[in-house]
């Protein structure tokens, strides 16, 4: 058995509403780089060698719980948001008798890293403290709790902004809301915290004075990683965090061998994976669970969400690709819309103004211009001419178009689904295909052309007559 005091449990506070966000959505659900912000402290907690993570939820608890489903966390409900000490108390009650270290993180501090938290834990252990508060210095401390130290530099108390007089308001060292407590101490004092303050809330910050009064060691550990501990309380702070997170993510990809023509203009969400030697032009969004294979080029202004892009794929300008798969060496765009459920095999070519929905296209097939293919299964080596449309919807139901291998579809063809085209068939340009076409057959369904000799001259004469 290891030393019990080495054990760590992390508590993440996420029950508050976040009034200053002016939102119908709980603050911890607002996304940063595509993920609800509470998932970042959850991730940092997961990287610590902690026994478990307890998340306190309250405001919009069901939605927060949804976001946390599948994560290795325990959930505690705070039905009424009576302050940070009340939230911590509920979590501590759920881990009764735990005497190891308790790390407290905030759901609204998404830029926190496990390195910064580990630094705090190390400082706590080294000092043999009962409480260690993570602090930092900021140019504008308004809104934050201030760290009040004595002449020797030891922390005496934390004063909340709303309870601070002018001299305290001038202090630039602030409480980040992140702490390490000795579990035994915390469970003894947590119920004794009062709500005698400007907000009539139970403040976890009061534990500092209580600890000192009891003669315990309380330490304020200052970090220089100001960005890591930035609390999000307003939309303006949310935008700043978004920018920092975005550049962190892009830097990570650059370190892994991805080229950005201008990284400031590329928005990649946190869960996206990108292989090396991918080049990304400005104005691109890559979202959700997208995976991009080696050697792809993604030109400007595309958005790719929840998709799997193979190796060596070229995505020309201004494409939207959602919930789809694109095979190796395919070429997409410019101006293509690949909608959910599409699967493109290798070497497929999709050109300008082509929309695909729930379409499969086999190896080397092409739809280069002005086409809609929906609910379609298309074999390999197929050429789809410009202006081809699968008429998949009859006003009530969707129907499928199946096209075999090596079919040649001329321009401006409509397939009235359900319809099946056999391997190697030819579809004449301008045809409306309402019946199945056998393999190797030519289908042609356009009105035969008649030429009226000299008609233009005749028409001109008729017009001149009528004007007299
Ligand atoms: C808190 C600190 C302040 C610190 C700041 C850092 C207190 C009293 N103040 O203030 O010293 O400078 O964080 O960002 O602790 N929460 C609950 N239940 C509640 C109230 C809050 O779970 O009843 C959660 C919130 O969801 C949030 C976190 O606790 O994730 C902090 O609450 P918030 O209201 O943002 O506190 P601040 O005013 O920012
Ligand atoms: Mg806050």
């Amino acid at each position: 058995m290891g030393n019990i005091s080495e054990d760590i449990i992390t508590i993440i506070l996420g029950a508050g509403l976040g009034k200053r966000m002016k939102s119908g959505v709980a603050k911890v659900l607002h996304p940063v780089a595509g993920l609800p912000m509470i998932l970042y402290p959850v991730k940092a907690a997961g990287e610590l060698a902690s026994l478990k993570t307890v998340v306190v939820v309250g405001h919009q608890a069901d939605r927060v719980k949804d976001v946390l489903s599948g994560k290795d966390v325990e959930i505690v409900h705070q039905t009424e948001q009576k302050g940070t000490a009340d939230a911590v108390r509920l979590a501590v009650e759920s881990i009764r008798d735990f005497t190891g270290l308790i790390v407290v993180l905030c759901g609204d501090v998404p830029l926190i890293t496990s390195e910064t938290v580990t630094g705090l834990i190390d400082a706590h252990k080294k000092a043999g403290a009962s409480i260690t508060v993570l602090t930092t210095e900021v140019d504008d401390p308004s809104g934050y709790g201030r760290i009040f130290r004595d002449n020797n530099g030891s922390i005496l108390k934390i004063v909340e902004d709303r309870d601070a007089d002018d001299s305290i308001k001038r202090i630039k060292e602030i409480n980040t809301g992140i702490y390490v407590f000795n579990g035994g101490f915390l469970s003894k004092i947590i119920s004794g915290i009062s709500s005698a303050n400007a907000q009539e809330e139970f403040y976890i910050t009061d534990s500092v004075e209580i600890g000192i009064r009891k003669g315990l060691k309380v330490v304020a550990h200052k970090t220089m990683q100001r960005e890591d501990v930035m609390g999000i309380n307003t939309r303006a702070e949310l935008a700043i965090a978004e920018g920092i997170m975005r550049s962190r993510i892009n830097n990570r990809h650059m370190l892994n061998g991805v080229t950005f023509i201008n990284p400031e203009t590329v928005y990649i969400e946190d869960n996206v994976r990108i292989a090396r030697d991918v080049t990304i032009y400005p104005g691109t969004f890559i979202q959700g669970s997208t995976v991009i294979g080696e050697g792809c080029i993604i030109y400007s202004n595309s958005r790719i969400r929840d998709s799997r892009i193979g190796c060596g794929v070229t995505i020309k300008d201004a494409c939207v690709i959602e919930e789809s798969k694109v095979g190796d060496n395919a070429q997409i765009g410019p101006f293509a819309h690949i909608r959910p459920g599409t699967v493109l095999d290798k070497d497929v070519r999709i050109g300008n103004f082509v929309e695909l929905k729930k379409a499969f296209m086999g190896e080397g097939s092409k739809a280069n211009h002005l086409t809609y293919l929906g609910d379609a299964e298309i074999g390999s080596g197929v050429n789809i001419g410009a202006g081809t449309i699968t008429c998949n919807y009859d006003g009530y139901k969707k129907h499928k178009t199946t096209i075999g291998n090596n079919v040649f579809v001329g321009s401006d063809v409509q397939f009235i689904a359900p319809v099946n085209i056999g391997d190697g068939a030819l579809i004449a340009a301008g045809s409306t295909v309402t019946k199945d076409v056998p393999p190797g057959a030519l289908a042609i369904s356009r009105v035969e052309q008649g030429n009226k000799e000299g008609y233009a001259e005749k028409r001109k004469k008729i017009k001149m007559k009528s004007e007299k």
Side-chain angles (χ1 to χ4, degrees), residues 10-279:
T10 308
I11 297 172
I12 300 175
L13 307 184
L17 163 64
K19 278 188 209 132
R20 290 165 278 177
M21 293 296 280
K22 309 264 164 70
S23 176
V25 176
K27 176 165 67 179
V28 296
L29 293 174
H30 281 262
V32 173
L35 292 184
M37 70 171 92
I38 193 161
L39 290 184
Y40 293 100
V42 166
K43 202 198 285 179
E47 288 164 11
L48 303 172
S50 59
L51 292 175
K52 61 178 171 183
T53 302
V54 181
V55 183
V56 184
V57 303
H59 210 84
Q60 296 177 358
D62 288 343
R63 288 170 70 182
V64 179
K65 267 180 7 192
D66 277 353
V67 156
L68 293 171
S69 74
K71 306 285 170 206
D72 187 17
V73 297
E74 281 180 25
I75 290 176
V76 164
H77 267 265
Q78 186 192 27
T79 30
E80 232 185 297
Q81 282 68 64
K82 293 189 272 189
T84 46
D86 184 62
V88 170
R89 178 182 61 81
L90 292 165
V92 166
E93 282 172 4
S94 82
I95 51 175
R96 211 174 285 269
D97 299 333
F98 177 72
T99 53
L101 298 184
I102 294 179
V103 173
V104 175
L105 303 179
C106 285
D108 65 347
V109 182
L111 298 173
I112 189 68
T113 61
S114 54
E115 289 80 15
T116 293
V117 182
T118 304
L120 176 70
I121 295 168
D122 289 346
H124 179 86
K125 286 183 188 167
K126 215 165 153 193
S130 291
I131 310 178
T132 304
V133 182
L134 185 63
T135 75
T136 194
E137 258 177 60
V138 293
D139 296 333
D140 176 13
S142 57
Y144 286 106
R146 307 298 203 285
I147 303 300
F148 187 72
R149 294 183 186 253
D150 66 15
N151 293 334
N152 301 322
S154 301
I155 183 170
L156 291 179
K157 58 180 175 177
I158 300 173
V159 185
E160 288 306 293
D161 192 66
R162 298 216 222 169
D163 301 301
D165 60 27
D166 287 348
S167 74
I168 290 202
K169 278 195 170 149
R170 281 195 288 274
I171 298 173
K172 300 216 164 189
E173 186 182 7
I174 58 110
N175 171 25
T176 64
I178 294 171
Y179 322 82
V180 180
F181 294 96
N182 281 359
F185 161 73
L186 188 59
S187 48
K188 253 180 241 132
I189 62 108
I190 191 70
S191 305
I193 290 177
S194 91
S195 60
N197 53 56
Q199 300 193 82
E200 295 182 345
E201 279 186 5
F202 298 93
Y203 289 168
I204 190 61
T205 46
D206 286 355
S207 59
V208 168
E209 278 176 277
I210 296 171
I212 291 168
R213 217 182 301 137
K214 290 193 184 297
L216 298 171
K217 186 152 192 190
V218 181
V219 172
H221 174 72
K222 202 194 285 184
T223 174
M224 294 305 173
Q225 307 297 325
R226 261 184 237 177
E227 288 181 346
D228 288 21
V229 294
M230 174 188 177
I232 308 301
N233 293 304
T234 65
R235 305 269 183 165
E237 288 163 347
L238 180 66
I240 293 168
E242 175 78 32
I244 295 168
M245 191 65 85
R246 190 194 330 142
S247 67
R248 281 186 186 177
I249 291 170
N250 291 357
N251 282 331
R252 187 172 84 214
H253 291 299
M254 286 187 267
L255 285 172
N256 288 339
V258 176
T259 295
F260 291 81
I261 304 301
N262 180 0
E264 281 78 51
T265 64
V266 177
Y267 302 79
I268 299 177
E269 293 182 355
D270 195 58
N271 283 339
V272 169
R273 285 187 287 146
I274 306 179
R276 62 186 191 168
D277 290 326
V278 169
T279 301

Side-chain angles (χ1 to χ4, degrees), residues 415 419-423 425-427 433-443:
F415 291 102
V419 70
N420 301 296
I421 314 300
D423 289 345
L426 299 164
I427 313 294
V433 180
T434 55
K435 290 186 287 203
D436 288 358
V437 179
L442 167 71

